[in-house]
Amino acid sequence: QVQLVESGGGLVQAGGSLRLSCAASGRTFSRFAMGWFRQAPGKEREFVAAISWSAVTIYADSVKGRFTISRDNAKNTVYLQMNSLEPEDTAVYYCVADLSRFGSGQYDYWGQGTQVTVSS
């Protein structure tokens, strides 16, 4: 079992930056693929970024070049650095983890989410 706790959300102006953090419980963090999804009001949940156990990264086209995912296995934490934020990035951001899958699809473990609001 893995518990995920997100932090770092908030309100920022368009063009600004935020860094989300996700702290994971458990001693096998380094073996998990980690990622971020988001859900905007009235929209379906969508994939944002993911990082494998070997630090391979993938991104949604909408955030490529603006967002960076990284992990610190010593701190059991995954980060999402978000730059050049746009109002369209406004959403609840969820941290996800999975021991056997990596990509933009299903993940077994989900955090509670953190709100990111970008004002124009």
Side-chain angles (χ1 to χ4, degrees), residues 2-71:
V2 174
Q3 291 188 322
L4 305 172
V5 179
E6 304 97 333
S7 62
L11 174 64
V12 64
Q13 287 190 328
S17 298
L18 279 176
R19 188 176 81 157
L20 304 183
S21 299
C22 173
S25 65
R27 296 175 291 178
T28 58
F29 174 80
S30 63
R31 296 167 53 192
F32 279 81
M34 305 293 297
W36 294 90
F37 281 68
R38 68 185 181 185
Q39 188 167 20
K43 294 189 177 181
E44 303 238 330
R45 194 172 291 180
E46 65 175 0
F47 170 76
V48 175
I51 185 166
S52 74
W53 41 89
S54 59
V56 173
T57 58
I58 55 173
Y59 297 92
D61 286 343
S62 59
V63 307
K64 207 171 289 184
R66 300 188 298 122
F67 291 10
T68 302
I69 189 170
S70 61
R71 65 191 300 158

